[in-house]
Amino acid sequence: PFIYKLISAEKHSVHTDANYFCPACDTKVNSFVRIPVFYDDMLDKYGFVHSPYLFETLNRIQYSCPHCGASDRNRLYALYVKEVFDKIKNGSKSYSFLDVAPDKSLASYLFKRDFLSYRSVDLYMEGVDDKADITELNIYEDNKFDIILCSHVLEHIEDDRKAISELYRVMKKGGFGIFMVPILLSLDQDLENPDYNTPELHWKYYGQDDHVR
């Protein structure tokens, strides 16, 4: 393990002349880091019935930034936010932004954008601005946020329709949201079965022990 860590650290080290760039931390890197082997081990252990290579927006080989830890999808969000706001920024106007179950690396990037009035929410996570269940966001009034990011959260929520309804309620008219979930390109509809009700069956059919679809 010690030798492996030395090799891995060199392989993924930060270089100013590298060919790769992480938009979440503005750092050039030699390469990104593969998704942890733990996930492959668990999918194999419980006989995942799908191909893990058919997940949309999942680069298993170049998964996370060695510098800030941003995953491929969070690097994509950072690029998107920059491109969108380069087009619509209006002087000193501030856009209210709600980040649901924030990713630490992306949250750091978003918090530094002076055109965003950033706020984070989660029921269990430490360090967020607000503790709340997204199926009951009574702490927020209607039409509060210009932008909402809810990334890979809804697959953990039993009543995802109620959660979406609440997020829509607190979004301003004319606002927009980024709502991302794990999508298998081999499926043409949601896979959700109340009989799959144990962590082992969640791994087998949903790809993670705390996914409910």
Side-chain angles (χ1 to χ4, degrees), residues 145-194:
F145 297 100
D146 293 296
I147 309 149
I148 297 176
L149 173 62
C150 181
S151 173
H152 286 240
V153 175
L154 294 171
E155 70 274 15
H156 299 265
I157 307 296
E158 291 284 353
D159 194 346
D160 58 332
R161 291 174 181 268
K162 187 176 181 183
I164 293 170
S165 177
E166 273 292 87
L167 293 170
Y168 182 76
R169 178 185 66 80
V170 302
M171 184 188 297
K172 289 183 181 179
K173 304 304 180 186
F176 69 91
I178 303 171
F179 299 87
M180 296 283 279
V181 294
I183 291 179
L184 273 167
L185 300 176
S186 57
L187 298 178
D188 57 10
Q189 60 185 357
D190 285 355
L191 174 60
E192 185 172 2
N193 188 328

Side-chain angles (χ1 to χ4, degrees), residues 74-93:
N74 286 310
R75 299 194 301 272
L76 180 62
Y77 302 153
L79 284 173
Y80 178 77
V81 167
K82 183 179 186 304
E83 181 173 324
V84 166
F85 281 97
D86 278 349
K87 295 177 181 178
I88 68 173
K89 273 192 298 187
N90 180 18
S92 60
K93 178 177 171 58

